[in-house]
Each structure stands twice: as C-alpha cells, then as structure tokens.
Amino acid sequence: MDILSQMTERAKANIRRIVLPEGDEPRTLEAANIILKDKIADLILIGDPAVINKMAADNGYEYIKNATIFDPATNPKMKDYANLLFELRKAKGMTEEQAAQKAMDPLYLGCLMIKAGDADGELAGARGTTADTIRPAFQILKTKPGVGIVSGAFLMFTPATELGEGGFLVFADCAVNPCPNAQELAQIAVSTAETARTLGQIEPRVAMLSFSTKGSAKHELIDKVTEATRIAHELAPDLQLDGELQADAALVAKVGASKAPGSPVAGKANVLVFPDLQAGNIGYKLVERFSGANAIGPILQGIAAPVNDLSRGCKVMDIVQMVIITANQAI
C-alpha cells in the first residue's frame, strides 16, 4: 500500500473534524462530497445553508447532507466565538465590536472553532492567498512550543524509486519564508522531519541543501546552511541530518559516497531542506514538471493545530488529498 493510501486508511480509522471555511466554493464542495462519501473525515462547511444545499442539489452531491453547515449570520454560537477572539486579542487592542466583526470572517471563524475544541483542523485557500490563511492561525492558534516559524512542505511522489524512500521525498520550505536565517532554517528542518515522520511514516534523513558539499566552496550563503545544520543538531540531537550538501550528493549513493564519505545522510536523503524560498519553490516545480511527480502541498508546519493552505489553481483531488493530510496531522 502506498503512503497516500496509508494516510487515507489512517484518516478513516481515526475520524477527525475538518472545517472548510470556503463552504460554497465549487471545487471545495465537490471535494467535500467525495470526502463524506468515502467517510474520510467529518466536515464543517462555513457558509449559507441555502446556497450550499442548492449547489449540492444542482450537482448531485448527495453526501453533503452529512456535513455540518455553519452559518455565521444565524448561528447562536457566534457570540461565544467572538468573545473568545476578544479574550485572545484584547491585549493587542482589539475591541469587543472588532472581535464580533472579525469572527464573521470564515478564515478567522475556522481557527476559532479549532481553538474552542469544535474542530480538529482547517483547510482553505481555494479563493484567498496564503497570507489570508496563515494570519488568523498566527493570531488565534499561534505556533507550536519551541517553534518560532511557520513553513510549507510538499510531499513529493516521484517515479524515481531509487531516490528517497522508494521515490517519496519531502521538500521544504517551498511556500512561506523568502529568506530564512540560520535559526529559522534549522527550525524548518526539524519541522519537516516531523512531517516526514508523522505523515509519511518514514524515518527522516534530512539534507541541508546548498551549492557546496562539505566546504567545496566558500560563501556567506553556504555559511548560513552550515550554521543551520549545527543549530538543527542542537534542537534534535537524534535526528539524522547533515549539511551542507549539494542535491546530487544528498540523493545519489555513488555521488554521496564520493563527496561526503561517512555522512549518515549523503546519497540516501528523503527530506530536502532548501536554503531559501526561491530554491525550494523552483525546485519542487521543476521536479513536478520534468518527472511527472505528484506534489501534494503546501503543508503548513509549525502551527499549534493543523491549518493548511490551497493553491487558488487547485483541482478537486488536490483538495481531497489535503483534507486527508490535514486529518492525519490532527491524529
């Protein structure tokens, strides 16, 4: 059974409540019908029940009847959510009136549901930007203890079975931080290793990528990666992690043995941590397009509860897969 199938079965065996703030977005609603039909998760759709139910009826989405549809315009629990937001943000100057207004925003409301214990995770972004999705999560859920940065990972299912874990690798950060410093890069590495372990059910072998391998070149950009490697070892002493490594040294056994002999990671990495967002974003898209890899993400890492972002160009099955991943993060 492949990794995605394993995650699907795990979600079915441990049903979690996932809130979809864009409840009347057409692709989201179609994906919701699939999720409910296959009994992968319990879903909370935020929106006008009349609009959602009409869309479902018009398209033959018969399983939407099994979703919880939450209408912020009429639901009496809105007062509780507004009060919760006020308590969380009053020290930052938010008034009760502002909290009541902000809680009506589905993206804020979804995070408030998680904070209140009424949902286990959230998936959004088919309509909005990554910043729109992350901002409420920062303000309401905050980051995990000991983690000061949110990052974005991609699960890469490639046909190159000789690489990674039978062709499966995790790439980061490909979505959030343009230019992380050494401390941030180290935290990204540790978070990505945890994503590989919890979602992929693999033992992570983390390569800190650069254009140099073990001092083959000298530059301040390389210094950042070597320093991040040192810090990551302090943060997670038992983690198999090495750097700086060029991509071929990280992935290809023969090259790794030649360029970094004795490395616990070189030639067999299954987690690739890129030095900045430009490299990470370009890298995953090149692998996706040239190899026909299935790239699933971005999976947001470091938030205290599962909140994930979609591309505005996402397809229905992208949403289905990301619900599965969000549910697995919540288990």
Side-chain angles (χ1 to χ4, degrees), residues 3 6-7 10 144 153 155 165 168-170 188-206 232 235-241 270-271 299 301 328-329 331:
I3 290 171
Q6 290 174 8
M7 285 194 285
R10 201 177 304 132
K144 293 179 179 178
L155 305 185
E165 208 72 25
F168 170 70
L169 301 101
V170 185
I188 290 168
V190 174
S191 292
T192 310
E194 183 62 19
T195 293
R197 187 179 287 116
T198 58
L199 294 183
Q201 299 285 292
I202 61 173
E203 189 56 35
R205 297 184 296 272
V206 183
L235 294 174
D238 296 331
L239 180 62
Q240 292 185 71
L241 178 146
N270 53 24
V271 174
I299 299 160
Q301 310 173 133
N328 272 262
Q329 287 178 297
I331 294 170

Side-chain angles (χ1 to χ4, degrees), residues 102-142:
K102 188 66 76 173
M104 295 291 290
D105 181 332
L107 293 173
Y108 276 82
L109 179 55
C111 289
L112 288 167
M113 288 178 174
I114 296 171
K115 187 71 173 179
D118 297 330
D120 301 306
E122 175 191 299
L123 177 64
R127 280 183 175 146
T129 66
T130 297
D132 291 336
T133 301
I134 293 178
R135 190 179 303 110
F138 263 137
Q139 294 180 7
I140 296 165
L141 301 171
K142 306 188 184 304

Side-chain angles (χ1 to χ4, degrees), residues 290-309:
F290 279 125
S291 75
N294 182 17
I296 301 177
I299 299 160
L300 297 183
Q301 310 173 133
I303 302 172
V307 173
N308 280 314
D309 181 44

Side-chain angles (χ1 to χ4, degrees), residues 60-84:
Y61 299 155
E62 60 179 299
Y63 293 94
I64 295 300
K65 65 178 182 292
N66 296 327
T68 298
I69 301 177
F70 189 101
D71 185 358
T74 60
N75 197 295
K77 288 200 71 171
M78 284 304 299
K79 184 175 181 181
D80 295 335
Y81 291 133
N83 287 339
L84 174 58

Side-chain angles (χ1 to χ4, degrees), residues 235-256:
L235 294 174
D238 296 331
L239 180 62
Q240 292 185 71
L241 178 146
D242 201 11
E244 83 283 12
L245 295 171
Q246 291 164 289
D248 57 349
L251 293 169
V252 181
K254 186 175 181 179
V255 178

Side-chain angles (χ1 to χ4, degrees), residues 164-306:
E165 208 72 25
F168 170 70
L169 301 101
V170 185
F171 288 12
D173 176 6
C174 305
V176 180
N177 302 282
C179 192
N181 60 33
Q183 180 70 37
E184 292 168 337
L185 195 59
Q187 290 188 14
I188 290 168
V190 174
S191 292
T192 310
E194 183 62 19
T195 293
R197 187 179 287 116
T198 58
L199 294 183
Q201 299 285 292
I202 61 173
E203 189 56 35
R205 297 184 296 272
V206 183
M208 308 293 285
L209 297 183
S210 179
F211 60 88
S212 166
T213 296
K214 298 296 185 179
S216 64
K218 301 293 182 184
H219 194 276
E220 61 185 21
L221 293 176
I222 302 167
D223 295 341
K224 181 181 80 168
V225 177
T226 56
E227 176 65 5
T229 302
R230 183 191 67 78
I231 296 169
H233 280 304
E234 291 182 352
L235 294 174
D238 296 331
L239 180 62
Q240 292 185 71
L241 178 146
D242 201 11
E244 83 283 12
L245 295 171
Q246 291 164 289
D248 57 349
L251 293 169
V252 181
K254 186 175 181 179
V255 178
S258 172
K259 290 187 174 184
S263 169
V265 169
K268 52 187 175 183
N270 53 24
V271 174
L272 303 185
V273 177
F274 293 82
D276 58 36
L277 182 57
Q278 287 195 100
N281 192 271
I282 292 167
Y284 101 79
K285 288 181 177 177
L286 286 175
V287 172
E288 181 183 30
R289 297 299 176 181
F290 279 125
S291 75
N294 182 17
I296 301 177
I299 299 160
L300 297 183
Q301 310 173 133
I303 302 172

